[in-house]
Amino acid sequence: MHCSYFVAERCRSCALIEQPYGAQLAAKQAQAENALGDRSDVQWISPVASPEREFRNKAKMVVGGTAGSPTLGILDAEARGVDLRDCGLYTPGIHACFPLVAEFITVADLTPYDIPRRTGELKNVLVTESPDGELMLRLVLRSQEPVARIRKHLPALLRALPQLRVVSVNLLPGHTAIVEGEREIVLTEQETLRMRVNGIDMYLRPQSFFQTNTDVAAALYRQAADWVSEQAPATIWDLYCGVGGFALHCGGAAREVVGIETSREAVASAELSARQAGLSQVRFETGDATAFALGASEAPELVIVNPPRRGLSDDLCRWLESSSVQRVVYSSCHAGSLARDLAAMPSLAPRRARLFDMFPQTSHFEVLTLLERV
């Protein structure tokens, strides 16, 4: 895949972009197999490939330049804005909204945050597109000072961009490298973006996590649901459930499913999805996955885990190892933490595995593994 930004060394984020996609996929498959170790009894299913371009449903753009001439992209070594609006990874809908968002920054006089001087207001612009082409726009600000101007000019933006459904302001007052803060102010009547995946409506609130590659995420959920259906467990836990993707896909056949997630926003979204789908046997709770497992009076037949890159906690690994859980479906975005967790749970052996290439042009990938008690 050709990228003028990469060739000009303006952005080097896609480290593998000059490699043929087939070679990228083969190298990731080899890395995934190596992470699971010498296990001849593991059935590897052919990897799920992604489109090479226009697959990212979310853009995280650092704002630079000036209010009159803003850049949307990244910052260079001197903290100057590098505009990446033509990046080939984003969906066409996200590409189309960038000029209107930049114009809105100018009209609302949103001064980009200047890192060296620690002045200005607008730090980041976050845009998400749903499978139906609807958009969520989040403006990350240093303070509430520009909110009145944003409210004033927002109706014009909504008219110019009719697919825009949710607009919010996120407050990040500190001088820090993180993308967003804890406080969110929703400015539109609609507060959630509907993410229709495999015929299931999931709802994304401004601070909720969703996979950045919708097509590959849909394949990931289908694979997990197929494995769960084969095993036909009566009880399931979905730990680190997010907005409920795995739980909602695996909640049929009158199974009792409990999803656990630390984010109240995500849990509220998951509960809405379950109600609309008529899945009364699927429920969600806000809480820590490890604390929930250690405090439960009895274990389910099957556990789904989808932890962050650091993997499972040591306590949760020990609990799973010593529990009566018969099967675990483990979705991992980091092969190293997956290998460490498997070593800590020797009684739960991997039987099937499949690679899902969520992130073409980079070394990152997702692996779904079915573990069975031996």
Side-chain angles (χ1 to χ4, degrees), residues 89-129:
L89 302 187
Y90 299 120
T91 61
I94 291 178
H95 273 293
C97 85
F98 283 150
L100 293 170
V101 171
E103 181 180 344
F104 179 77
I105 292 171
T106 299
V107 170
D109 193 24
L110 303 178
T111 305
Y113 184 67
D114 187 308
I115 290 179
R117 295 179 176 83
R118 302 193 181 190
T119 60
E121 284 291 340
L122 182 58
K123 295 184 176 182
N124 303 308
V125 164
L126 312 179
V127 183
T128 303
E129 184 180 26

Side-chain angles (χ1 to χ4, degrees), residues 225 228-230 232-236 249-257 281-282:
V228 170
S229 293
E230 288 177 13
T235 53
I236 302 172
H249 279 79
C250 299
R255 301 186 185 98
E256 180 184 337
V257 183
Q281 73 281 13
V282 179

Side-chain angles (χ1 to χ4, degrees), residues 152-312:
K152 175 183 176 181
H153 296 285
L154 183 56
L157 177 63
L158 294 172
R159 289 192 298 271
L161 199 57
Q163 62 270 45
L164 185 57
R165 293 291 182 267
V166 183
V167 179
S168 68
V169 163
N170 177 274
L171 297 180
L172 182 62
H175 184 76
T176 175
I178 62 175
V179 175
E180 61 187 83
E182 295 182 1
R183 186 181 174 194
E184 199 88 17
I185 304 172
V186 180
L187 304 179
T188 48
E189 182 177 352
Q190 185 170 323
E191 297 185 355
T192 60
L193 185 68
R194 183 178 63 180
M195 305 294 288
R196 190 191 304 271
V197 179
N198 297 322
I200 296 176
D201 286 346
M202 291 181 279
Y203 292 89
L204 189 64
R205 292 173 183 265
Q207 291 183 304
S208 300
F209 168 79
F210 194 83
Q211 297 283 5
T212 59
N213 191 321
T214 305
D215 289 345
V216 178
L220 177 72
Y221 294 142
R222 290 196 302 269
Q223 183 64 79
D226 287 346
W227 285 349
V228 170
S229 293
E230 288 177 13
Q231 309 306 324
T235 53
I236 302 172
W237 289 353
D238 180 7
L239 305 182
Y240 312 93
C241 70
V243 294
F246 286 109
L248 295 165
H249 279 79
C250 299
R255 301 186 185 98
E256 180 184 337
V257 183
V258 180
I260 304 298
E261 169 61 43
T262 57
S263 168
R264 293 183 183 276
E265 293 265 308
V267 168
S269 299
E271 289 175 333
L272 175 59
S273 297
R275 286 195 303 271
Q276 291 198 348
L279 297 172
S280 58
Q281 73 281 13
V282 179
R283 63 184 178 88
F284 298 91
E285 296 182 12
T286 303
D288 176 77
T290 299
F292 175 82
L294 270 59
S297 58
E298 58 182 350
E301 295 179 22
L302 184 145
V303 173
I304 302 169
V305 292
N306 183 26
R309 287 179 60 82
R310 63 179 178 272
L312 305 178

Side-chain angles (χ1 to χ4, degrees), residues 45-57:
I45 304 171
S46 58
V48 174
S50 167
E52 293 186 53
R53 59 188 304 120
E54 298 182 345
F55 61 85
R56 287 191 66 96
N57 59 28

Side-chain angles (χ1 to χ4, degrees), residues 49-83:
S50 167
E52 293 186 53
R53 59 188 304 120
E54 298 182 345
F55 61 85
R56 287 191 66 96
N57 59 28
K58 184 173 184 177
K60 299 180 180 180
M61 313 298 277
V62 181
V63 184
T66 64
S69 182
T71 62
L72 302 177
I74 59 175
L75 301 179
D76 63 15
E78 284 75 42
R80 294 173 301 195
V82 177
D83 198 274

